Amino acid sequence: MAFKSSGARHDPLRSSGGLHEANRFQRGVVEFLRLPLILTAVFCLVAVGVSLLDRLTPDDAGFRTLVSSVVSEEGAVDFLSAVATSLLTVTSITFSVLLLAVQQTASSLTPVVFDQFLRRTANQVYFGFFIGATTFSFLVLGLAHKQPAPLYSAALTLVLVVASLVVLLMLIHSTIDQMRPESVVRSIHELALQAREVELKMLGRTRMARHSDPDRPEREIHVMDTGFVVTVDTEKLGAIASSAGDDVEVIVEGRLGEYMVFDDLLVRLVNIDPEDSSYDDVIDAFGIDDIRDVNVESGYALDQLENIAWETGTSASQSPQTASTAIRTLSDLLGRWLMAGERDRSERSTRQDELPVVYTDGAVERGLTALSTLLVGSSESRQAQTTAKILHSFARLIPRLQDKDRAAFDDALDSALPAVIQQAEIPPLRDALAELEKVMNEHGHDAERVRLVRNLLTEATSQMMPKPSDEPEAAHPRREGDREEGVRSSANETGTSRRSETRVGDFN
């Protein structure tokens, strides 16, 4: 029997339990600010160097004479002043317009657009270049003197102006291209594959199920903070388990991407006395943050695709094309992960020995749940073509299912099938249901509920109903005796109602 740990608790009145990975500034540096700050610092150093060159170079130097043919000594300072103010204005307006475009796209494709825009290296370089060039212009202007004239500074500023216009053109095209739904979804797809590789290195050395007996004593460690689990150091967990004893096993309850609230169960130490707090530092193997990390957690990408498909596939946006793109990408990721397996991946680990750590992945179950949720959402918007694509995705996954995934697949599909009868029987939906029933029969799944949905849609179409759920009884054919009995009951009810109205009229 397991007991709660009191040693792993923290003062509930304090905001943070010390597990947060980074504060806002640190997160900003990691996500976006590092490259722009480095580029700005480089431009500042160059500005100081060029200003010193203007001061120290003799007036009769050959190269200085050549530069003076491009920028006159009399107008050098005025040129620097005009360029500095112009760059500041252009940079401010450009950034404002681009951020407005990003915000507009994020309103229809969910806030994942912000996350992608900030993390793209090209965007960081573009922004850093403009900020650095503007800083350079003001810095050389501030260090300039009438005598000697800042010829080198003015010449280099002219080069930066030309380069800034080219970079501005590239930035505008890049931003517009990034705001296309296909580009957003494709970026999520690539990030999901990269994050999955990171997960596989961790999962390749952990156990899929516990080896210890369920009735063994356990020490429960509860989280002292609130937020998403963004890091799990399985090496540290394994080291702690090994130091505690050969029969000690660590069971991870707080998986990557899980949102933990204060005092949630984070990890269990099997074969450790429930009152022994010697190993409570195991909590340091976990990192908590307010924002999930798409670089190490593939489940975050699945959730992003689900949100995009939900946002664009329901009546909130009415954009089936974008929803279809997200659904196809989600189906592709699930198919790749099913084909790659979940535990047969130890070759991706740097070390081959198994750690005494139990970590349940659950990526496939999360993806199946996302498809199930989208199937329900498509019924709300009456987008039958979107429903057909989701059913096709279910059918596509069946041949790739492993035995351990069959129960999760059946549960995800069966729970959402009632939403299908909210749709009209358009040809793509009819074909998708037929395909799903056929594939389920070929691979030993119970297709009775799918067959029932097909029959309900066919019956609704034959009775000229837009969908069977408009009048459920009409879509369920009854025996002739039941129909006649229903007609007689209806006639009797009508006659009784009329006689009652007549008596009321006589009384009045």
Side-chain angles (χ1 to χ4, degrees):
M1 181 178 179
F3 297 87
K4 274 192 175 183
S5 163
S6 58
R9 292 179 180 272
H10 191 73
D11 185 1
L13 299 182
R14 293 186 58 185
S15 174
S16 174
L19 294 182
H20 267 62
E21 286 290 291
N23 56 35
R24 291 184 179 179
F25 178 75
Q26 292 173 329
R27 186 188 303 122
V29 170
V30 172
E31 288 183 342
F32 180 75
L33 296 176
R34 180 185 289 113
L35 267 179
L37 289 176
I38 292 175
L39 288 174
T40 302
V42 171
F43 274 102
C44 290
L45 293 176
V46 173
V48 174
V50 172
S51 297
L52 290 176
L53 188 63
D54 280 322
R55 296 280 188 88
L56 301 178
T57 304
D59 292 339
D60 56 352
F63 189 70
R64 185 178 178 87
T65 304
L66 178 63
V67 171
S68 64
S69 64
V70 180
V71 181
S72 64
E73 294 187 8
E74 296 80 9
V77 176
D78 294 335
F79 176 75
L80 290 176
S81 176
V83 169
T85 54
S86 299
L87 271 179
L88 180 61
T89 303
V90 171
T91 301
S92 302
I93 295 176
T94 302
F95 287 1
S96 299
V97 173
L98 292 181
L99 290 177
L100 183 62
V102 174
Q103 181 182 8
Q104 187 68 23
T105 306
S107 64
S108 59
L109 293 181
T110 73
V112 64
V113 176
F114 286 118
D115 187 58
Q116 289 189 10
F117 189 80
L118 292 175
R119 289 180 179 271
R120 287 182 185 270
T121 303
N123 293 337
Q124 297 174 16
V125 172
Y126 291 146
F127 277 71
F129 181 86
F130 274 105
I131 298 298
T134 305
T135 305
F136 173 89
S137 301
F138 277 100
L139 195 54
V140 294
L141 177 62
L143 297 175
H145 291 78
K146 289 290 185 180
Q147 291 297 330
L151 294 181
Y152 292 122
S153 298
L156 187 54
T157 301
L158 178 60
V159 174
L160 286 178
V161 168
V162 176
S164 297
L165 293 176
V166 176
V167 172
L168 176 62
L169 187 63
M170 297 172 60
L171 174 60
I172 293 175
H173 173 266
S174 175
T175 303
I176 294 175
D177 182 67
Q178 293 173 40
M179 296 305 104
R180 292 191 179 106
E182 293 80 7
S183 298
V184 174
V185 173
R186 181 64 181 176
S187 177
I188 296 175
H189 180 272
E190 295 302 317
L191 288 173
L193 294 179
Q194 296 172 13
R196 191 60 178 170
E197 283 292 330
V198 176
E199 289 179 335
L200 295 182
K201 294 177 181 179
M202 175 187 69
L203 295 172
R205 299 190 60 211
T206 57
R207 299 173 180 174
M208 190 173 182
R210 64 185 296 170
H211 293 182
S212 56
D213 295 332
D215 58 349
R216 300 300 299 169
E218 298 176 356
R219 169 71 174 178
E220 292 187 352
I221 310 298
H222 293 252
V223 70
M224 304 184 299
D225 215 327
T226 301
F228 293 101
V229 179
V230 293
T231 57
V232 179
D233 190 347
T234 53
E235 295 286 344
K236 185 171 184 177
L237 294 176
I240 293 176
S242 300
S243 64
D246 296 336
D247 58 344
V248 174
E249 189 175 45
V250 177
I251 301 178
V252 177
E253 300 290 346
R255 300 176 299 179
L256 286 172
E258 294 283 347
Y259 189 83
M260 311 295 291
V261 299
F262 185 86
D263 203 37
D264 274 354
L265 179 59
L266 185 65
V267 63
R268 290 182 287 159
L269 300 177
V270 183
N271 288 319
I272 295 294
D273 186 88
E275 301 300 327
D276 185 2
S277 60
S278 304
Y279 305 99
D280 284 359
D281 58 347
V282 70
I283 200 172
D284 296 331
F286 296 83
I288 304 292
D289 204 350
D290 298 325
I291 300 177
R292 299 163 72 178
D293 190 353
V294 71
N295 294 315
V296 298
E297 183 210 340
S298 60
Y300 188 24
L302 296 183
D303 290 345
Q304 290 176 342
L305 291 172
E306 179 186 356
N307 289 337
I308 291 175
W310 178 273
E311 182 75 17
T312 57
T314 63
S315 59
S317 181
Q318 298 292 344
S319 179
Q321 183 60 40
T322 303
S324 299
T325 302
I327 291 169
R328 287 195 299 265
T329 304
L330 181 60
S331 174
D332 177 79
L333 290 174
L334 283 176
R336 289 170 182 260
W337 295 345
L338 285 170
M339 293 177 67
E342 188 171 300
R343 294 288 160 177
D344 50 347
R345 58 179 74 91
S346 59
E347 71 279 359
R348 287 184 171 88
S349 300
T350 55
R351 297 173 56 189
Q352 305 299 316
D353 53 311
E354 183 184 71
L355 297 172
V357 178
V358 181
Y359 188 98
T360 305
D361 181 25
V364 174
E365 289 80 358
R366 181 176 295 179
L368 292 172
T369 302
L371 286 177
S372 178
T373 303
L374 294 175
L375 193 60
V376 176
S378 64
S379 66
E380 183 267 343
S381 61
R382 302 293 189 266
Q383 291 186 3
Q385 71 275 36
T386 303
T387 300
K389 286 183 172 60
I390 298 174
L391 292 175
H392 175 72
S393 298
F394 273 109
R396 178 178 174 271
L397 295 175
I398 291 176
R400 306 175 184 181
L401 292 174
Q402 300 180 13
D403 292 339
K404 61 183 180 60
D405 302 316
R406 293 171 66 92
F409 176 89
D410 292 337
D411 182 58
L413 179 60
D414 289 345
S415 61
L417 278 178
V420 180
I421 63 174
Q422 300 288 331
Q423 309 286 3
E425 191 189 24
I426 63 173
L429 180 57
R430 182 172 61 246
D431 296 342
L433 284 169
E435 178 192 15
L436 180 60
E437 181 181 355
K438 176 183 176 182
V439 176
M440 291 182 71
N441 288 328
E442 290 176 351
H443 292 83
H445 290 260
D446 184 6
E448 180 60 32
R449 286 172 62 85
V450 177
R451 188 179 303 110
L452 176 60
V453 171
R454 290 186 63 196
N455 294 337
L456 289 174
L457 290 175
T458 301
E459 182 68 18
T461 302
S462 66
Q463 298 186 26
M464 297 299 292
M465 295 169 53
K467 53 189 176 65
S469 58
D470 280 344
E471 189 179 344
E473 293 184 357
H476 288 74
R478 296 178 292 181
R479 297 188 304 272
E480 288 298 324
D482 295 336
R483 292 181 181 272
E484 295 175 359
E485 180 65 27
V487 171
R488 288 195 297 270
S489 299
S490 176
N492 291 336
E493 292 175 0
T494 302
T496 302
S497 175
R498 289 177 177 175
R499 287 194 296 272
S500 299
E501 292 175 357
T502 300
R503 287 196 296 270
V504 170
D506 294 341
F507 178 79
N508 292 335

